[in-house]
Each structure stands twice: as C-alpha cells, then as structure tokens.
Amino acid sequence: MFGATLHVAPGRSEWRGHQLLQRAGMVRQVAQGIFSYLPLGWRTVRKIQDVLRAEMTAVGGQEVSLPVVNPADLWQRSGRYFGIGPELARFADRRGRDLVLAMTHEEIVTDLARTEIASYRDLPRLVYQIQTKFRDDARPRAGLIRVREFLMKDAYSFDVDDAGLAARYDAMYRAYQRIFARCGVPVTAVASDVGMMGGHLAHEFMYLTPIGEDTLLLCDACGYAANREAAAFRKPAAPAGTSGGPVEVATPDATTIEALTAALGIPAERTAKALFVAVDRERPDGTVHAEYVVAVVRGDMELNEVKLANLVHAGEVRPMTPDEIARIGAVAGYGSPVGVAGATVVVDDLVATAPGLVAGANRAGYHLLDVVAGRDYTADHVGDIVAARAGDPCVRCGEPLRTTRGVEAGQIFKLGTRYADALGAGYLDVDGRRKPLVMGCYGIGVGRLLGCAAEEHHDGDGLRLPITIAPYQVHLCPVDASAADLADSLYRTLTDAGVEVLYDDRDERAGVKFADADVIGLPLRLTIGRRSLARGGVELRERAGGDAELVPTGDVPRAVRERIAALHRRIADRLPA
Amino acid sequence: MFGATLHVAPGRSEWRGHQLLQRAGMVRQVAQGIFSYLPLGWRTVRKIQDVLRAEMTAVGGQEVSLPVVNPADLWQRSGRYFGIGPELARFADRRGRDLVLAMTHEEIVTDLARTEIASYRDLPRLVYQIQTKFRDDARPRAGLIRVREFLMKDAYSFDVDDAGLAARYDAMYRAYQRIFARCGVPVTAVASDVGMMGGHLAHEFMYLTPIGEDTLLLCDACGYAANREAAAFRKPAAPAGTSGGPVEVATPDATTIEALTAALGIPAERTAKALFVAVDRERPDGTVHAEYVVAVVRGDMELNEVKLANLVHAGEVRPMTPDEIARIGAVAGYGSPVGVAGATVVVDDLVATAPGLVAGANRAGYHLLDVVAGRDYTADHVGDIVAARAGDPCVRCGEPLRTTRGVEAGQIFKLGTRYADALGAGYLDVDGRRKPLVMGCYGIGVGRLLGCAAEEHHDGDGLRLPITIAPYQVHLCPVDASAADLADSLYRTLTDAGVEVLYDDRDERAGVKFADADVIGLPLRLTIGRRSLARGGVELRERAGGDAELVPTGDVPRAVRERIAALHRRIADRLPA
C-alpha cells in the first residue's frame, strides 16, 4: 500500500475527521486548499462516485465530461466573467486568448445544449459529470470541506417549461437525499441563496455540525429551514410613531444605535441605520467602477449582505471607504440616505412602511427625528435585507426560529432561462415557436462529502466509514507468524468470493497493526493469531462496535458475507424512497 | 440520448475517425484543442479507463489522484518551470503565488513519495492516476490526437535500484502492449527521445498511420525501430582527405552546400556545415538569457535538433537571429565555428573524426579548406546530432532503414534519480544508507487512444469500434410500429441479462435509424420490423461485416450473448501474454 499512516496529523484542525483522513494515509495537502488522494482515499472517493453514478442514472442522468479550461468569452456572454471576483482563476494562453478554470459548468453545458437540443422532442434531458474544478477561495480551510481544487458531481437539466423543471428539481431533491443517506451523511435540506448561479429557487443539503461555517435558521414547529443568507422571518408590525418631521436634533457622540437610543430615550425600533457599501463592477473593457449603495435597516436589526447583494444584482458588496462616503455627501456615524447623491438607496421593507424614524443628519453630531422614506429621501429598491436571528418568528407559522450550524454538502438550483437567454440556447416547441431552455443545476462536492462522512463517522481511535464508501470491507490482520498461511489462504478465498480485503501482510507487531486498523477503520476486522487459533478460529469484529465473534476457520467466508450484507441492509433500510 | 448525430462533421480534418466521432455525437470542440465528451463518447472513454485500470492493477498499480493545479515552487525545484516553454500554463492565485497547470505529475508524485516511502521495505511501488492535464500546445490539431486539455493515464514507479526499475519498465512495456491490443489499436514500440522528462531510456508505442505527425525509422531485417528524434544509424567511415590547412579560398555566391560542392568540385561528404541556434534559458529570477550554439554536421547530413537540444540540456532550440550570428563573429552562408567567440560548439561525431573538411571562413565569399576539429576550433561537445534518413544503415545490423509515419499512443520512461535528486525523495536501504528513489514514468493519453481507435476502426458509413471499448454492445432498432412491443420486451430482457443495449425508440424513419446506427457503429445490431417478423424473427448483424442472421425471437438473448462472447474472444486470442 502506497501511503503511510501517521501517529499525529500534520497541521491543526478542529475537524477531527480530516485529521483522521490524513492519519489514515488517505489524503495529503499539496498547497493551501489543494490535495492529493492516496490509494486508500481515492478508493473511498471512487465508492462515492459509484453511489453518485447509480443515483444519477436512476433519475435519467447521462454522464458527460466538460473541460476544466474554458474560453473566457462564454463567461463574458453569461456575465459571470465580470460578476465573479478573484475566486475565478483566469489566465491567457500562449496566443493571448483569455481562459478561465471552470468552477462550475453552466456556460459550457448551455452552449452544448444549444447545438445538441433542437426541439421539444429532445426534452427533457439531464446530464451530469464528475469533474475537477477550481475556485480560488480566499480562505481554504476545514480540510476537504473548503478547498480550491475539488472534484464535483455537477448535473444540469433541460426542460420545456417551469413545470418540467419542477419535476426534475423534485427528482433531484429526492436523489440527493438518497445519495447522502447511502454515504452515511445525515443532511437537512434548507432554502438557500441562489448566489452567483442566479435563478429563483435553491436548496442546500446541510450536514449539521457545530463547527460548520454556515448558520441555519430552523423552525421546530413547522419545519421551515433556511440558510441565514436566505432566511426570512415574520417581521413585527411597525410601532406607532409621529411623522411631522424631519427635525434636526443635536446628538453629540451618538455614533452608535446604542448611544443614540440612550441619548434620546427611545427604543432602537424607532431608529433607522444606514450602511454604506460598494459594488465593484467590471466593465466589458476590463476596467472596474464602484457603484455606491446606502442600505437602510431598522436600528434593532442587522443587515444581511447577501440579501442586499441579490437585490442590487451583485456578487458581493464591500464597505465603502471613508473617502467614498464623503464623496456621496454622507457622514459616517451620523449617516442616512437623506441628502446623499450618487448612490443607490436600498430600504428594508420594514423601514419603508414605518412612520417617522430617527436617522442620521449627515452632519457630525446631529440626527433627524421623524424621517420617512419616500418623503424625505427616495428608495431605489425596497425589499427584505435584514438577517433573521434566533427567536425571530418563523415566516410560515410565527413560532420562534432557532439557529444551528452546518456545512453545505450539496445544492440544487432552479436556474430558469437565465443561461439559455444569455447564450441563445433554445428549442422549437410543439407550437412551432422557438423558446429558451428551462434549466436547473445540481451539485455535490465529492471531497467535501468525504470530509463530512469522516467527521460524522469516527471515534477516538480513528475513522469508521460506512460500508457503502469504506475503501475495503475487511481488514485482514494476522498477528503472528503462525497465522501467515491461514491468512494467505483466507485472503484468496475471500477475494475470490468478491469480498474487498485489505490484507496487512507486513512483518509488524500486533500493536502496530491494530493501531493502523483502528485509524483506517474498515467496517470488519479479521484477526488471526496463536490465541484465536487455539480457541478454534478467527476473530471477527465490527469497527463500529459490538463484541468480537470467534468464527471457525471454514466458516469465515459465510460469516463475513453475512456481516457485509447486514451492514448494507442497515443503510438500505433507512433510505428515503 | 443527449447528443445529436450529424450528417457532416464540423471543420475539416484528414482524420476520418475524428470526423466520425463528431458525426456520431461523441465529442464536440469547445475551443482550439479543448473538447467536451457527450454521453456516447464518455461511455467509450470509461470503457478505455476500465481497460487501463485492469491492466495497471494486474502489474501492481495503485490508483491515486494528484491535483491539476500545482504550486510553481515544485516545478522550480525540478528545473522544469524554467526548462519548459509556453506550453506550461502558468498563473498567479489571488495572493500572487505562482501556480501551474500540470501537464504531467513527476514533481507532485516525487514529493508525495518523499513523505510516503521511508525504507526499502516500502519498495517497489507503482501508482497511477487517470486525470485531466493541460498543455498549451502551439498547434492543436488532428482532433483528439493533439489537444490542449486531455485526460491521461500516468503511472510512476519507485524502486531501490536500476535492476528494480528495469523489471518495472519491462512489466509496463508488456502491460502497454496488452492495453493497446485490448483497445484495438495496433502499435509498434520504438526507441524514443526522453525530451523534457529527462532520464535515460524511453519507448514510444506508435500507432502507424500515413497521416501521423511523427516519422519513424524501422529496420525490417533486425527489428530496430526508433522515432526520428532519437533514431541512430551506422555512420559511414570518414573518407580519406588532406589535412594540411586551413587554407582560405574564394567561393563567391557559394552560400549553400550544393553551390559550394559545385564550385569546388568536391562531394558534400568533404564539407562541414555550421548551424547557428540559440537556447533561451530562464534564470531563477524570471529573466531570460540566450545561450548561443554552433552545431557542426557534415554537409551531406541534416541536423537533428532534438539530439542537439538533449546534448546541451535544453528543452528546445531556435534559430539565431542575424544580429546574434554577427554578435559571435560568424557570417551566415559562410559560417563555421572557426574564430567564433561566445558560443557553445557542438560537433557531430563524424565531423570530429574526419580529416580536413571544407568549412566557412566567417568572411563573406570565402571558405576554408582542410578544417580539423580540435586543431582549428574547439568542440565543447561531440556526439551524434544528425538525423537518420530512409536508406541509412541500421545501427544494429547495417541493413537499410525505412521510414514510416505514426502517432505516439503511449510512452514509457526510465527516469532514474533525476526527480528524486532534485526533490530530495530518498529511502533508507537495507545497508542503513539513504539513497535516492529510482523512478520510471508511463503515460497514455486516453482521448488520443480513442482518436487512434476511431481512425483504425471505421468504414465509409461510420465508426466500428471494437467490443472492448464500444459505448454499447447492441443497437436495438425497431423500424416500424409493429415492432415496438417486441423491442420494449427485448430491451428489458437483454439489459436484465447484462447486455449493454442502445435502444433507438425514436419515432423516426428506418433510413434515419439505420444511418445513425451506421455512424455510431455498435458491434451488433438487432433490427425488428414487419419484414423480419414475417420471416419469423429478428435480424442480427455485425457492424464489422458478415451476413445478417435471422434469429427466432425467443432465441435472441442467447444469440446476442454468443456473438458478444465471440467478439471478445477474437480480441483476447490475439493479446500478448
């Protein structure tokens, strides 16, 4: 076996599963966010791929392979070449033509559908691939969870209309639940932000763990679940208030909501705070210009930057610099949209419907009482731009939401016609008219899935991946010279019977072999030695727990096959339909 | 099925096989040298992968996966970051760190072996992967044969010594012959240049075709075979001659060997010609400096630039500019190494041992008689730097060589310790001493193999890939409505029996279905229609030729399985041991 087990994992991580993947000799870091898979790790990945292929085939998926290196022009035509920041790796080829490393394949597959799909008779179609991708993440971390180069199962569906897309989306939703269940990764499906994909509906399949980097809002009463980036909640009615103003009042040193409410003796619900952010937009000629945005939310709430970015059709927003704030006529600490120029004003719906609120006067040391949107300043966009928090009432049933943390293990999107429109991918409908393809896309990071499985399935001694994805089924462990011949013969018998055996035929002490077997953690272990032979057989033990069973030598193949079948059954019985 | 068959292939190519891969809906070009694989093409690739995995496993190979994006520093330490030109795609990440797209994985795998292999007890090891690579070829062409992004099966061996490497090399040599035979691609193994890999022995497995871009020299008498880049031949004895000189003679307008021999009335064998080339070497700080080389070969022979580049340890050479030629004191048309300064002089062994030859005087209109290497100028390197040609005597047996053309379908290299030395990858030997790993590397381009197979297996109507790699085994073709029910039931029966069936259940005319079946060219076709049913059954036909057989309906599964087994046997019977 190429790949050494390690007593101590390199680096530090709170992801114990990842530390064990390294200690078991499964993966090695090459550079930040870039990994090599050793034979044991790669066998595990190939098992995961088998699950992915089986479930994609079951819903009519056809496997393709799309290139990693993409011509930039397709990404320019979709707009993402400009909308996506430095995480999109770009380079020029030897003739100076711009290329990108694909982080996802909407452009390529839509362009392909343009040539391969002619009419409604060619629809629906579902294609998928399992292919390397690169995203130049600013902060790769958490082992295989957040990397730069990754293997991804990405699927794309093409339908005649929204009803077809809905059917495909539902089928993929169920397929995803089966995939995660088969790989032993419990997930919760939550509504999510569509982000750079565009489109109008998305779900994330979240593996819940306290060390996950995403925050989720869940309603235990009705089952509502959403990523914080997308979570809605039932907003309180606007409190009664006056609206005679605006009237300027001196508020020295009141540069925070806390200081302001203390100074004026009013609750934070009666205030509006302004946040000054910018969107850097790239022009087709490659130059960048900043668009300024003033976001207005009630003083007792927090801005949700993702909701804001979506409202202004931006990939991300950044804080404005002091210079930029001054340039639009605003004053930090005493800011509001009143009197600013050269900025887009985005107002949370709760602020838009509120009677007069206290807001900054854009003059150091002063605020305005009774400021009303629409009268005292113009809102360019009104919408929900605040973050849901634990305790906020559920948008569906009104019961309080709770928060938890998780990792996005997969995501599905209804894209609609965004890419088909941009890249001219249409079909001739039964009525003889040309219409755009209605698309969905569906992704699972293969390495990330392994990372989640390792985090879910380990104990203090090592990994214990489920039989569906463990690299081998049985660890065959002769512990002294007397066991060698029997081990050789068992290895042959078992492999001939189709059992996947990792045979530790090294000349090592039993303690070394057991420690390695523990850290690799195959589902079953066969231990053979003087002691077991004296008792008349071979010791068979499950990694996940339970007593060791002494199996008579001739009975080992049957006993092993039965255990393997039982382990598979345990997972199959819990699969969603 | 996603992917349309085409009446006419896009673009022009003398590679008929590639045109048919496009017409069959297997591949589509995305950009120059960058392709997408549609479901039919990708199934074929997956079949080829199965063959590769089986044969690699049979010789002890363990599958790994190494990253496409590599940190540049490993390539700097091996020296290839500087030695390889623009075909190595380079870019900086968002933090300005230099990265490259791997075109091969010696650096990564050697660095991995450094951490995974500790002692002679961990050796030998053979690892392989099937992974995407990128090489920014200046002239992508010939469909899948010469591309920029490609899938490659690359394997790397680690041994304690040269004898171990030789054993591994021989095993891989035989495995490669089996792989090509199983995929239906006849190959000839030829000695080849080691090129940018370094090392000291290499073989290429060439698919012979008149439209191949490589020229090979073959000896029908003794079996010697080599790529022109590496081909040796038995050089003639140096003719007798005077050596009193050098004596300057006027040779107006004699700027070619032809004109010179005519002017002086001597044979070309009595002349030496000088070729002025430069090597652009990149310094560690990123700047480039040109090293000048004067290559001297006999007037009747041609310089082999690859042999020359190897002798001066360069990736490639380029012609010197007129300015550069003047700078070293030489005169184009009347050039020689006599009197030049600031250049490396490389002399073909035949020139080095010759008595006086006529050479340029580095003065316009003049040559020198009786120039002798070592006396009249200094040779920095002496070696074989001329190209073998058809008719030259075989280096082994002296019989005349012949030339033919081919495509490199795979290549194997003895690397020795080049990479282990550069990257510090060693092992502790049984004698307690630390020694460098002795490595070999072994590559097959998966897409290129498909390109060769398509070129070898087609006729005027379409592809006819062998059963080992054809995307499906059987094309099921009901040609009228009366056949639909029987086709449905046959499809289920056959797939249940493990037969891979492509079922054309479209509502199309028989002619359309037959044309598609021809161009896709699956090994077997089942045709069902009113006519065949009236005759009592289903028509079974082999794509590669032979009469159609009328099979009674109930007998179809047996007949199909027998044909499949026979087709497999036909290939297995011809496999090398």
Side-chain angles (χ1 to χ4, degrees):
Chain A
M1 176 74 65
F2 181 79
T5 53
L6 307 173
H7 290 294
V8 180
R12 293 178 54 182
S13 175
E14 58 181 343
W15 289 83
R16 294 259 316 146
H18 179 64
Q19 293 201 308
L20 291 169
L21 288 172
Q22 294 177 87
R23 286 190 49 210
M26 290 198 174
V27 301
R28 291 290 181 259
Q29 186 163 333
V30 172
Q32 212 192 9
I34 299 179
F35 288 84
S36 286
Y37 286 85
L38 298 172
L40 264 188
W42 188 243
R43 265 186 86 97
T44 311
V45 167
R46 299 248 305 142
K47 293 275 182 101
I48 295 174
Q49 291 182 9
D50 289 345
V51 172
L52 292 168
R53 288 197 168 98
E55 294 295 339
M56 287 299 101
T57 302
V59 290
Q62 301 177 37
E63 190 171 348
V64 298
S65 180
L66 309 173
V68 178
V69 176
N70 289 188
D73 78 287
L74 280 175
W75 288 69
Q76 289 162 351
R77 280 156 58 195
S78 76
R80 293 207 292 182
Y81 192 78
F82 311 109
I84 301 177
E87 63 265 38
L88 180 64
R90 301 150 209 250
F91 65 104
D93 72 9
R94 61 192 299 161
R95 296 181 184 207
R97 281 170 299 212
D98 290 326
L99 301 172
V100 306
L101 295 187
M103 55 173 72
T104 168
H105 275 93
E106 284 73 19
E107 283 79 0
I108 293 283
V109 83
T110 306
D111 192 53
L112 200 52
R114 191 177 54 77
T115 59
E116 306 308 315
I117 293 175
S119 89
Y120 70 96
R121 299 204 306 169
D122 300 326
L123 293 169
R125 287 291 181 272
L126 176 67
V127 298
Y128 74 98
Q129 63 171 348
I130 302 176
Q131 170 68 304
T132 300
K133 294 179 170 31
F134 189 83
R135 177 187 286 130
D136 198 359
D137 198 300
R139 296 185 308 282
R141 59 189 173 281
L144 299 180
I145 303 293
R146 190 133 167 202
V147 297
R148 298 200 291 171
E149 178 171 326
F150 53 103
L151 196 65
M152 188 166 190
K153 189 289 297 166
D154 45 329
Y156 305 89
S157 66
F158 304 95
D159 275 279
V160 291
D161 56 18
D162 285 343
L165 170 58
R168 220 71 44 219
Y169 192 86
D170 289 348
M172 289 300 277
Y173 187 105
R174 288 194 303 273
Y176 271 38
Q177 289 190 309
R178 287 179 56 88
I179 287 167
F180 293 116
R182 284 179 68 174
C183 295
V185 175
V187 292
T188 300
V190 306
S192 75
D193 173 53
V194 297
M196 65 158 185
M197 291 296 180
H200 47 273
L201 181 67
H203 280 90
E204 285 168 326
F205 294 83
M206 305 294 305
Y207 166 60
L208 302 188
T209 166
I211 52 179
E213 64 179 8
D214 280 24
T215 299
L216 314 177
L217 286 118
L218 306 177
C219 175
D220 292 325
C222 76
Y224 174 78
N227 194 308
R228 180 165 60 182
E229 294 181 342
F233 62 102
R234 200 176 282 181
K235 290 186 176 171
T242 59
S243 57
V247 177
E248 194 173 79
V249 293
T251 51
D253 300 325
T255 59
T256 64
I257 293 295
E258 203 169 26
L260 179 65
T261 54
L264 298 183
I266 54 165
E269 294 92 309
R270 296 286 315 281
T271 67
K273 65 182 170 193
L275 298 109
F276 300 97
V277 301
V279 176
D280 293 318
R281 299 204 193 265
E282 191 170 344
R283 296 194 190 87
D285 67 2
T287 59
V288 173
H289 77 286
E291 176 187 331
Y292 303 129
V293 176
V294 182
V296 189
V297 304
R298 230 170 58 176
D300 59 327
M301 302 203 171
E302 296 300 325
L303 175 68
N304 178 323
E305 293 194 351
V306 174
K307 290 182 179 176
L308 173 63
N310 287 339
L311 237 159
V312 298
H313 302 289
E316 53 182 8
V317 298
R318 63 164 173 85
M320 279 168 66
T321 65
D323 276 0
E324 289 174 325
I325 293 174
R327 201 173 306 155
I328 62 167
V331 175
Y334 297 91
S336 80
V338 178
V340 304
T344 302
V345 176
V346 182
V347 179
D348 185 59
D349 45 14
L350 201 52
V351 170
T353 57
L357 299 174
V358 176
N362 283 325
R363 179 181 169 206
Y366 292 86
H367 277 83
L368 298 172
L369 306 179
D370 294 331
V371 173
V372 176
R375 185 192 68 186
D376 302 325
Y377 61 92
T378 303
D380 297 300
H381 300 283
V382 173
D384 172 26
I385 58 169
V386 298
R389 287 170 298 194
D392 280 341
C394 172
V395 68
R396 284 206 203 131
C397 72
E399 291 301 306
L401 297 169
R402 70 179 171 89
T403 56
T404 187
R405 298 185 72 81
V407 170
E408 180 222 305
Q411 194 166 12
I412 60 179
F413 297 86
K414 287 189 179 177
L415 297 174
T417 61
R418 171 194 184 321
Y419 291 92
D421 289 337
L423 298 167
Y427 70 97
L428 209 60
D429 204 355
V430 65
D431 59 12
R433 289 198 301 195
R434 197 168 161 75
K435 297 178 183 171
L437 292 167
V438 181
M439 292 175 55
C441 75
Y442 317 89
I444 290 177
V446 182
R448 183 180 284 195
L449 181 50
L450 172 56
C452 292
E455 191 61 27
E456 178 71 12
H457 299 281
H458 71 262
D459 62 17
D461 296 324
L463 295 170
R464 43 183 197 187
L465 294 175
I467 192 137
T468 41
I469 64 171
Y472 295 87
Q473 297 163 330
V474 177
H475 203 118
L476 176 59
C477 227
V479 293
D480 52 45
S482 71
D485 288 348
L486 178 57
D488 278 357
S489 119
L490 267 181
Y491 177 68
R492 278 192 301 273
T493 310
L494 288 169
T495 51
D496 286 352
V499 177
E500 300 172 23
V501 184
L502 179 62
Y503 177 18
D504 188 348
D505 62 353
R506 296 175 301 169
D507 180 20
E508 291 280 4
R509 287 181 300 105
V512 171
K513 291 189 173 191
F514 289 156
D516 282 351
D518 281 342
V519 74
I520 294 169
L522 299 179
L524 298 173
R525 187 194 306 177
L526 285 171
T527 308
I528 320 176
R530 230 177 310 277
R531 222 167 52 183
S532 77
L533 292 172
R535 292 170 57 217
V538 174
E539 189 191 279
L540 174 59
R541 184 190 287 273
E542 284 188 23
R543 175 66 178 87
D547 293 335
E549 173 190 3
L550 193 78
V551 182
T553 305
D555 224 23
V556 170
R558 185 200 52 76
V560 165
R561 280 203 307 269
E562 279 181 14
R563 292 275 192 136
I564 290 171
L567 289 170
H568 273 292
R569 216 159 36 232
R570 216 178 290 168
I571 289 172
D573 285 348
R574 283 176 297 176
L575 285 190
Chain B
M1 176 74 65
F2 181 78
T5 53
L6 306 175
H7 289 293
V8 180
R12 291 178 56 181
S13 176
E14 56 180 345
W15 290 82
R16 293 260 317 147
H18 179 63
Q19 292 201 307
L20 291 168
L21 288 171
Q22 295 177 87
R23 286 191 47 208
M26 289 198 173
V27 301
R28 291 289 181 260
Q29 184 163 336
V30 172
Q32 212 192 10
I34 299 178
F35 287 85
S36 287
Y37 286 85
L38 298 172
L40 265 189
W42 188 244
R43 265 186 86 98
T44 310
V45 167
R46 300 249 305 141
K47 293 274 181 99
I48 294 174
Q49 291 182 10
D50 289 344
V51 172
L52 292 167
R53 287 197 168 98
E55 294 295 339
M56 287 298 101
T57 302
V59 291
Q62 300 177 37
E63 190 170 348
V64 298
S65 180
L66 310 173
V68 178
V69 176
N70 290 188
D73 78 287
L74 281 175
W75 287 70
Q76 288 162 351
R77 281 155 59 195
S78 76
R80 293 206 293 182
Y81 192 77
F82 311 110
I84 300 179
E87 63 265 38
L88 179 64
R90 301 150 208 249
F91 65 104
D93 71 9
R94 61 193 297 161
R95 296 179 185 209
R97 282 171 299 214
D98 289 325
L99 300 172
V100 305
L101 296 186
M103 55 174 72
T104 168
H105 276 92
E106 283 74 18
E107 283 80 1
I108 293 283
V109 83
T110 306
D111 192 54
L112 200 53
R114 191 177 55 75
T115 59
E116 306 308 317
I117 293 175
S119 89
Y120 70 95
R121 301 203 306 168
D122 300 326
L123 293 170
R125 287 291 181 272
L126 176 68
V127 299
Y128 75 97
Q129 63 172 348
I130 302 176
Q131 171 68 304
T132 300
K133 293 179 170 32
F134 189 82
R135 177 186 287 130
D136 198 359
D137 197 301
R139 296 184 309 281
R141 59 189 174 280
L144 299 178
I145 302 293
R146 190 133 168 203
V147 297
R148 298 200 292 171
E149 177 171 327
F150 53 103
L151 196 65
M152 190 168 189
K153 190 288 297 167
D154 45 329
Y156 306 89
S157 66
F158 304 95
D159 275 278
V160 291
D161 57 18
D162 285 343
L165 170 58
R168 220 70 44 219
Y169 192 86
D170 288 349
M172 289 299 278
Y173 187 104
R174 288 194 303 273
Y176 271 38
Q177 289 190 310
R178 286 178 56 86
I179 287 166
F180 293 116
R182 283 179 69 174
C183 295
V185 175
V187 292
T188 300
V190 306
S192 76
D193 173 53
V194 296
M196 66 160 186
M197 291 296 180
H200 46 274
L201 181 67
H203 280 91
E204 285 168 325
F205 294 83
M206 305 295 304
Y207 166 61
L208 303 188
T209 165
I211 53 179
E213 63 180 8
D214 281 23
T215 299
L216 314 177
L217 286 117
L218 306 176
C219 174
D220 292 325
C222 76
Y224 175 78
N227 194 309
R228 181 165 61 182
E229 294 181 342
F233 62 102
R234 199 175 282 180
K235 289 185 177 171
T242 60
S243 59
V247 177
E248 193 174 80
V249 292
T251 51
D253 300 325
T255 58
T256 63
I257 292 295
E258 203 170 24
L260 179 66
T261 54
L264 297 183
I266 54 167
E269 293 93 307
R270 295 289 315 283
T271 67
K273 65 182 168 193
L275 298 109
F276 300 96
V277 300
V279 176
D280 293 318
R281 299 204 192 265
E282 191 169 345
R283 295 195 190 86
D285 67 2
T287 60
V288 173
H289 77 286
E291 176 188 331
Y292 303 129
V293 177
V294 182
V296 189
V297 303
R298 230 170 57 177
D300 59 326
M301 301 202 171
E302 295 301 325
L303 175 69
N304 178 324
E305 292 194 352
V306 174
K307 290 182 180 176
L308 173 64
N310 287 340
L311 237 161
V312 299
H313 301 290
E316 53 181 7
V317 297
R318 62 164 173 84
M320 280 167 65
T321 64
D323 276 0
E324 289 173 327
I325 293 174
R327 203 173 304 155
I328 62 169
V331 175
Y334 297 91
S336 81
V338 179
V340 303
T344 302
V345 176
V346 182
V347 179
D348 185 60
D349 44 15
L350 200 52
V351 170
T353 57
L357 298 175
V358 176
N362 284 325
R363 179 182 169 207
Y366 292 86
H367 277 82
L368 297 172
L369 305 179
D370 295 329
V371 173
V372 176
R375 183 192 71 185
D376 303 323
Y377 62 92
T378 302
D380 297 300
H381 300 283
V382 173
D384 172 26
I385 58 169
V386 297
R389 288 169 296 193
D392 281 341
C394 172
V395 67
R396 285 205 200 131
C397 73
E399 292 301 306
L401 297 168
R402 69 179 170 89
T403 56
T404 186
R405 299 184 73 81
V407 170
E408 180 221 304
Q411 193 166 13
I412 61 178
F413 297 86
K414 287 189 179 177
L415 297 174
T417 61
R418 173 198 185 315
Y419 291 92
D421 290 335
L423 298 168
Y427 71 97
L428 210 60
D429 204 354
V430 65
D431 60 13
R433 290 198 301 195
R434 196 168 162 74
K435 298 177 183 170
L437 292 167
V438 181
M439 291 174 55
C441 76
Y442 317 89
I444 291 178
V446 182
R448 184 180 283 195
L449 181 49
L450 172 56
C452 292
E455 191 60 27
E456 179 71 12
H457 299 281
H458 72 262
D459 61 16
D461 296 324
L463 295 170
R464 43 184 199 188
L465 294 174
I467 192 138
T468 43
I469 64 171
Y472 295 86
Q473 298 163 330
V474 177
H475 203 118
L476 177 58
C477 226
V479 294
D480 53 46
S482 72
D485 288 347
L486 177 57
D488 278 357
S489 121
L490 267 182
Y491 176 69
R492 279 192 301 274
T493 310
L494 288 170
T495 51
D496 287 350
V499 178
E500 300 172 24
V501 183
L502 179 62
Y503 177 18
D504 188 349
D505 62 352
R506 295 175 301 171
D507 181 21
E508 291 282 4
R509 286 181 299 109
V512 171
K513 291 190 172 189
F514 289 155
D516 282 352
D518 281 339
V519 72
I520 294 169
L522 299 179
L524 297 173
R525 187 193 307 177
L526 285 170
T527 308
I528 320 177
R530 230 178 309 276
R531 223 167 51 182
S532 77
L533 293 172
R535 291 170 57 215
V538 174
E539 188 191 281
L540 174 59
R541 182 192 288 273
E542 285 188 24
R543 174 66 178 87
D547 291 336
E549 175 190 3
L550 193 78
V551 182
T553 304
D555 224 25
V556 168
R558 184 201 53 75
V560 164
R561 280 204 307 271
E562 279 180 13
R563 292 276 191 135
I564 290 171
L567 289 170
H568 274 292
R569 216 158 38 232
R570 216 178 291 168
I571 289 172
D573 286 347
R574 281 176 298 176
L575 284 189

